[in-house]
Every structure is written in C-alpha cells, then in structure tokens.
Amino acid sequence: MIRHSPSLINLYVTNVPGPEAPLWFAGARVRSAYPLPPLTAGVPLALGVLSYAGSSTLTVTGASSLAVDAVAGGARTAMLALHFPALPAQPGR
C-alpha cells in the first residue's frame, strides 16, 4: 500500500531565459513567447517567466480551487514595480 503525505510544496517558479534577438517562423517575426508551466501532482500553482527579445512574460497556472486571479494580479503589480520603480503599480486605484 502506498502512503500519501501532504505536499511540502504548494508553488513552483521557473525562469527560462529565451533568445535576446527576435526569431522568425515561416517568414513572420515572432512577436512574443509565453511560458506554460504544467501543474504537477501535489503542487497546485506554478509561475513561469520567459524572457524573449528584451521583454519578459509571466504566466500563472493553477488548480481551479485556487485564487489564480489574485496571484496573477499581485505578480503583475510586483513586475511593474520592478520595471518602473518611479511609477505607481496600478494608476487610478
């Protein structure tokens, strides 16, 4: 019999450095790229960061029982603060 214990991990983050120069596919310039971190057994939340041609993209993947929108909103605020430290994270709020 297999014994299951509670997971000690509830989130993982991956950072994938992409190419610094733009890529081309079938004659068209690739304008953006998005990471898609998979969920794994016992880990209900994953964040993926991918850099590509001078920009970064963050993707939040989560189980339906989690507040993924809240996590994504907090991550957006943090990333804006890193890129534009002199500007408010969410203007008008």
Side-chain angles (χ1 to χ4, degrees):
M1 174 182 257
I2 298 174
R3 294 175 44 178
H4 295 281
S5 63
S7 177
L8 298 176
I9 301 170
N10 58 12
L11 158 76
Y12 76 89
V13 178
T14 179
N15 178 17
V16 179
E20 294 180 13
L23 299 176
W24 296 80
F25 180 76
R29 180 175 179 227
V30 176
R31 299 204 179 270
S32 58
Y34 302 95
L36 185 57
L39 297 179
T40 61
V43 183
L45 187 62
L47 280 77
V49 179
L50 174 68
S51 61
Y52 170 70
S55 65
S56 295
T57 305
L58 171 72
T59 303
V60 179
T61 306
S64 60
S65 62
L66 292 176
V68 174
D69 291 338
V71 172
R76 177 186 182 277
T77 301
M79 287 186 75
L80 284 173
L82 288 173
H83 286 285
F84 307 103
L87 299 176
Q90 292 192 2
R93 284 192 172 187

